[in-house]
Amino acid sequence: QVQLVESGGGLVQPGGSLRLSCAASGRTFNPSAMGWFRQTPGKEREFVAAMRWSGGSTEYGDSVKGRFTISRDRTLKNVYLQMNSLKPEDTAVYYCAAQIWGQNGFGFWGQGTQVTVSS
């Protein structure tokens, strides 16, 4: 089975930076894409960023373009989210997600890591 474990969340002041990591495990895990989503209480889950695993093409949500960067380590099957110029509205639980070949959409999710941006 595939397991995704996020880390790197925490409390940061506005304008600061954080780097989230997502470690994927599973002997047969072969993703077609991995990504990050976030959610705050009472709101729908929001797309943050995604990366095609083989080609490395990326996509970002409008609210994070120019501030967040998704990257990967293909050997470790890890995906990262570098978050710069953080704003209070970035406060949320951030989830790592994976899509495998033949799957429609992201079918595997981590447990989430809390990011709080506050002074």
Side-chain angles (χ1 to χ4, degrees):
Q1 285 290 349
V2 176
Q3 282 192 320
L4 303 175
V5 179
E6 303 96 335
S7 61
L11 173 64
V12 63
Q13 291 187 344
S17 298
L18 276 178
R19 186 181 190 233
L20 304 183
S21 299
C22 174
S25 62
R27 194 190 316 180
T28 60
F29 179 55
N30 183 25
S32 60
M34 293 188 73
W36 291 93
F37 293 75
R38 65 187 184 187
Q39 190 168 25
T40 55
K43 292 187 177 181
E44 292 189 356
R45 186 171 56 201
E46 178 187 8
F47 169 74
V48 175
M51 171 178 275
R52 288 293 172 189
W53 203 249
S54 58
S57 61
T58 58
E59 185 179 353
Y60 295 92
D62 288 341
S63 61
V64 306
K65 283 181 181 176
R67 299 188 298 122
F68 290 11
T69 303
I70 187 171
S71 61
R72 74 189 189 287
D73 183 318
R74 295 184 66 181
T75 301
L76 297 176
K77 294 183 180 177
N78 287 357
V79 66
Y80 309 96
L81 185 68
Q82 178 66 43
M83 306 185 294
N84 298 329
S85 302
L86 283 162
K87 305 175 182 179
E89 50 264 44
D90 294 318
T91 296
V93 177
Y94 284 71
Y95 297 91
C96 175
Q99 179 179 7
I100 61 174
W101 295 100
Q103 185 179 60
N104 184 22
F106 290 92
F108 298 96
W109 296 85
Q111 81 289 350
T113 185
Q114 176 70 47
V115 172
T116 302
V117 184
S118 175
S119 55

